[in-house]
Amino acid sequence: MALKMVKGSIDRMFDKNLQDLVRGIRNHKEDEAKYISQCIDEIKQELKQDNIAVKANAVCKLTYLQMLGYDISWAAFNIIEVMSASKFTFKRIGYLAASQSFHEGTDVIMLTTNQIRKDLSSPSQYDTGVALTGLSCFVTPDLARDLANDIMTLMSHTKPYIRKKAVLIMYKVFLKYPESLRPAFPRLKEKLEDPDPGVQSAAVNVICELARRNPKNYLSLAPLFFKLMTSSTNNWVLIKIIKLFGALTPLEPRLGKKLIEPLTNLIHSTSAMSLLYECVNTVIAVLISLSSGMPNHSASIQLCVQKLRILIEDSDQNLKYLGLLAMSKILKTHPKSVQSHKDLILQCLDDKDESIRLRALDLLYGMVSKKNLMEIVKKLMTHVDKAEGTTYRDELLTKIIDICSQSNYQYITNFEWYISILVELTRLEGTRHGHLIAAQMLDVAIRVKAIRKFAVSQMSALLDSAHLLASSTQRNGICEVLYAAAWICGEFSEHLQEPHHTLEAMLRPRVTTLPGHIQAVYVQNVVKLYASILQQKEQAGEAEGAQAVTQLMVDRLPQFVQSADLEVQERASCILQLVKHIQKLQAKDVPVAEEVSALFAGELNPVAPKAQKKVPVPEGLDLDAWINEPLSDSESEDERPRAVFHEEEQRRPKHRPSEADEEELARRREARKQEQANNPFYIKSSPSPQKRYQDTPGVEHIPVVQIDLSVPLKVPGLPMSDQYVKLEEERRHRQKLEKDKRRKKRKEKEKKGKRRHSSLPTESDEDIAPAQQVDIVTEEMPENALPSDEDDKDPNDPYRALDIDLDKPLADSEKLPIQKHRNTETSKSPEKDVPMVEKKSKKPKKKEKKHKEKERDKEKKKEKEKKAEDLDFWLSTTPPPAPAPAPAPVPSTDECEDAKTEAQGEEDDAEGQDQDKKSPKPKKKKHRKEKEERTKGKKKSKKQPPGSEEAAGEPVQNGAPEEEQLPPESSYSLLAENSYVKMTCDIRGSLQEDSQVTVAIVLENRSSSILKGMELSVLDSLNARMARPQGSSVHDGVPVPFQLPPGVSNEAQYVFTIQSIVMAQKLKGTLSFIAKNDEGATHEKLDFRLHFSCSSYLITTPCYSDAFAKLLESGDLSMSSIKVDGIRMSFQNLLAKICFHHHFSGLLKLWPRAAQEVVERVDSCASMYSRSIQGHHVCLLVKKGENSVSVDGKCSDSTLLSNLLEEMKATLAKC
Amino acid sequence: MIQAILVFNNHGKPRLVRFYQRFPEEIQQQIVRETFHLVLKRDDNICNFLEGGSLIGGSDYKLIYRHYATLYFVFCVDSSESELGILDLIQVHLEVVFFIAPKVHYILQEVVMGGMVLETNMNEIVAQIEAQNRLEKSEGGLSAAPARAVSAVKNINLPEIPRNINIGDLNIKVPNLSQFV
């Protein structure tokens, strides 16, 4: 036997081993493929031998070949043979090969189940280890199901080496066999507190991966992780936990508050950059999730920004990159704190590293405001000039356009400036983004009506200049802007200064070198232009001039008729015939201009990009049904070659624009400067006349001549955006001066004794009104557009299956399939015998435990409740200064009873603390409480017998009928909704502030994208103003202090100041936000109307019946009444509705017990009372007749009363 | 999660290819080539992160790489991994690596398992690998001796063939590893 082995080894030494193979491949550089195929043949021979060492050697070589890209799946069976070798050396080779080449489609993989199980239970830890490692790479659902229980046992192995591997592989098992998650989870959780740091780290790893996908299921682990975070010293573990917290905080803002302090401590103390960076990241996530300010809020942001600045200033490029990355996260919610580091970020634009430059560009995108937009874009423009590589320059170009056009050109105050920027960008040679610039030109010219005149003048200059034509052969090149220029000049030809000149420019012979689609636009717009010239000439009575234009058309159009492009040819021939016809008519002196311009009458409006999609399908129309039976399949393929053709066309060689253009431009610039210098009306930047005014005292007394700067200033020649920067500065300065003046005037008035309003809105520097009356035409949507509900969630997402509630108690059926030793018979059908074995093992257990089962279930339920309470309790306590507020260890089932009562006590305490502590978000809490109470009330109304009286703790809850059930109603009414977001709102008055109401807006993300950068902008009216943070203007949106992950909703509250409350009113507003998903981010907006009804100014106020009687008797109140017919609802419900929707309450009686509140009701008659935030008393007498209700009201303000009654009528009419 | 670990030399020849998600061999090669071209054009003094290779992963994925003398170490990870952490991990792996493909694999198996980081403590990794090497030697015993002798002779005869990649000039200093572990 031994001899035979030695003989085998001697045979073997002449086989190639791995080193020989590698060496051989290097020596056969020329014919590598041939050499390898030869080697594979040898390997195939070796695999046929019995000697396991030879086989292992062969498999080892195959593994190497696999790395080089050769398919080795044919050797799968041999790999399994080597895996089952008894020696570790060979086994390891086998498992390695398997882990590299096996996958779910490998059919022999099912043969490995028993081998792996054997190895898992091997006495050698390395056999076990190698099996676990291999399995982690090729585990299939079948393997996962069959081996889950074995791996579970290994999680409690004595050796930490095995334990950590077993813990880690569980994640893979969960992915493939989600049913195993719940049964295995308790043990996994145990491992978080394993004495071995490696095992602990593995468990943290697994739970973090799980939680990242479905964070809400792991919230209850927060206390445990918190403890780990404050106790662990392993940075890897700390990073993982801190990252996990970053994912959890958006779901539970209270958690964030608790985290701030330990994280801040870590930031101060750690020397590891990786840890510091992750801490900063999570602090940012916390700050984003907190919807309202907390005391050290700004301190934390400052700390983060400071640390990030250090990173960005570091010489290490990696840190710089990450610093910028994190900075962009802060930017979304706290743009102000980032903006102060603008210098640093602009500096990064000069970095040699392109990744860093691109990051800096991203940051700039979010940093712009009305104030600094021009400055930033100017900076970018200088970079455009300097940029060498076209890719980076193109990136800059797109960024400039993105920055300017973001959220509907929100930051552009001067569109002339923007147009001139776009025109400047057209001088870029060799860019591939010509169409982008063109699209912007079109968009601005169409949507900003005030700019059209200016745009047209610029576009005609573009059409006139030759350099664009020079690069005409390149598709998507800069010549694309001619497409826009031609269209704008044609469509808005009434604004053209010299239409005839432009017409000639468009008819130049060189135009025919342009791409076909541009020529087509030229041809079409030439006619528009022609029509308007004709009109002009005819009106002026210049018949000859008109005929000359026609002749020009007739002369030049044939060049387009000869075009190779079908579209151009067709349009040109059509138009040529038309013009010829006109010529004939003109010869007869027939006026034609009216009819020709009638061809282009009417305005084209922009249509929303999704409009088409949102047109509802008319009833009875089946879009999928065939209109005619299909002929054959081959027809649809006809279109394909065309698309290919288009693609090819894009890659034509480009031409260089001639240098002469640059000279020409320089010459013009000089000429313009001269002209400006000689022009006495040209406003030069310095010394600014306004500045002088400012310096002299008593500005307001000097009569200032009004110069209407909002009229577009004509800058001769091609514009230079720099000039606009100066002009804009001056304009703003002027605006400010004017405002100051106005303010002073107002103050004077006040001094005279007449105080108008107690709160004057303060205007800040940010309050810059745009130069043009920006009349952004909104995009059109079909009238009855459907809110499209697209659920983009990928049904094949493997992580979705792991969205499992882990707090639910385990049911008996939830067990990992346990497999007994298999005999040879069963092993043939490994899949079938599983359920059988399971059944066998379950039955006896059931009998034993049947009587205990119910008890246990109860206990488990209690435990679960307790867990939830635990978390609440843990979160609600104020964070103590000490590092860890040691969370209560999870009690075992035995302790459950005690623990439960304890927990209740704790909760009560917590509740008390909560109220004592000045909660930063009292309103939110109140809202939640209201909800709770409402549900409680509902429950009680079910249980309690009629007549029993509920103690009235809060007046809000009054009026809930005890006898009858009302469907639960929400005071939140729908504000607006689209496919991304649903807005509901509730308006509440407060007694403390006599002219303020709080508007609580609940935003619900119903898309699959993350919604961020949400901003609410509301158009104030004279009567109602939104309270904005200091320093922001009326035109700025107010940021919504959170982001919304898919499916999440959150509430934001805004305070409005109302002057007169006697009338209802509506405010227009817009919610703008960025929807980000895997495919990218889009800007969206949603318009809404806030309806402040008179009822929303009422506050439910209890009133004693005797006070009520006195009020009625006093005679100070005016009276009014309404009657509504056709009401079938019971009287109680009716009253409840009035209470709920209009904030009324019944009267309190002094009898039978103090503060017992009942709606005073005599038969079908009830008295009710409410009070407005400004102290108006409103008394109602509601009477029910047969099928009708009449309401008599008395109020200290008759307008308020009549409006209120109208609203009430509307409510009652729905009953 | 780590989705793939690629090690290739300055010419793009793969030295170690480890995917934790199944790709057919030809796609694997394509990914290696693409990644190689991505990292090749980057200077040594610019940052070590690359966003979104088109073949592997989506926008959530990052390539984190290090370049040592003749070798590129590239990790493709998703957002659950810490960027700086992975850079440190490459150091950890390097410290225990000799560049013979299967051996590197065995070592890598002790560092990363199934796409998740298994161990970051270098002493622990080295101890486990040494134990496995001892096991291998003891199993080899008598029967493996002749083969070892033959291969030794082969190597003496062909000195110009590198025993493997020359790692003499690799200056592997890990100054901040101690904070990490």
Side-chain angles (χ1 to χ4, degrees), chain A residues 898-1060:
Chain A
D898 292 1
K900 164 125 176 144
T901 48
E902 232 176 71
Q904 267 177 340
E906 281 168 349
E907 168 135 292
D908 289 347
D909 284 356
E911 205 70 59
Q913 276 178 15
D914 251 0
Q915 273 149 7
D916 290 348
K917 187 180 91 180
K918 247 202 168 180
S919 169
K921 296 182 295 171
K923 278 167 190 159
K924 197 166 177 186
K925 279 234 167 92
K926 195 187 160 201
H927 163 59
R928 193 165 38 214
K929 216 175 261 173
E930 273 176 18
K931 262 194 192 162
E932 273 166 27
E933 228 126 308
R934 222 176 287 146
T935 48
K936 263 185 207 166
K938 213 181 119 196
K939 270 185 204 159
K940 273 182 188 165
S941 68
K942 272 185 198 164
K943 284 176 192 167
Q944 286 176 350
S948 76
E949 286 156 352
E950 202 179 317
E954 283 193 39
V956 192
Q957 260 315 107
N958 64 25
E962 273 113 321
E963 288 93 329
E964 221 176 301
Q965 238 182 287
L966 248 190
E969 284 197 70
S970 165
S971 58
Y972 284 72
S973 57
L974 181 69
L975 202 52
E977 59 182 329
N978 63 8
S979 55
Y980 288 99
V981 69
K982 181 180 176 188
M983 299 173 81
T984 49
C985 87
D986 184 20
I987 303 171
R988 302 167 200 141
S990 72
L991 265 182
Q992 281 79 30
E993 302 288 341
D994 61 359
S995 58
Q996 285 190 348
V997 287
T998 306
V999 178
I1001 300 179
V1002 176
L1003 297 161
E1004 186 195 339
N1005 182 355
R1006 35 163 67 178
S1007 69
S1008 58
S1009 329
I1010 285 196
L1011 302 185
K1012 40 171 89 170
M1014 287 187 279
E1015 271 197 351
L1016 212 64
S1017 41
V1018 178
L1019 222 57
D1020 288 357
S1021 72
L1022 278 175
N1023 195 24
R1025 289 171 198 276
M1026 186 176 191
R1028 294 179 164 82
Q1030 276 202 328
S1032 65
S1033 82
V1034 267
H1035 300 287
D1036 282 355
V1038 177
V1040 179
F1042 46 75
Q1043 300 186 333
L1044 285 180
V1048 174
S1049 62
N1050 202 345
E1051 186 186 72
Q1053 296 187 332
Y1054 299 93
V1055 175
F1056 283 77
T1057 309
I1058 313 285
Q1059 276 168 23
S1060 162

Side-chain angles (χ1 to χ4, degrees), chain A residues 776-804:
Chain A
I776 291 186
V777 184
T778 40
E779 294 160 325
E780 286 190 340
M781 279 293 246
E783 270 167 34
N784 39 358
L786 293 169
S788 56
D789 244 80
E790 291 146 293
D791 193 8
D792 290 335
K793 274 193 179 167
D794 180 12
N796 298 326
D797 183 9
Y799 308 105
R800 243 180 145 191
L802 285 182
D803 188 359
I804 295 168

Side-chain angles (χ1 to χ4, degrees), chain A residues 23 89 100 318 321 359, chain B residues 18 48 51 119 139 155:
Chain A
R23 191 181 295 138
T89 321
Q100 290 287 76
N318 291 331
Y321 173 89
R359 281 272 144 246
Chain B
R18 192 88 193 81
N48 300 115
E51 271 153 87
E119 185 59 69
E139 280 179 356
N155 285 339

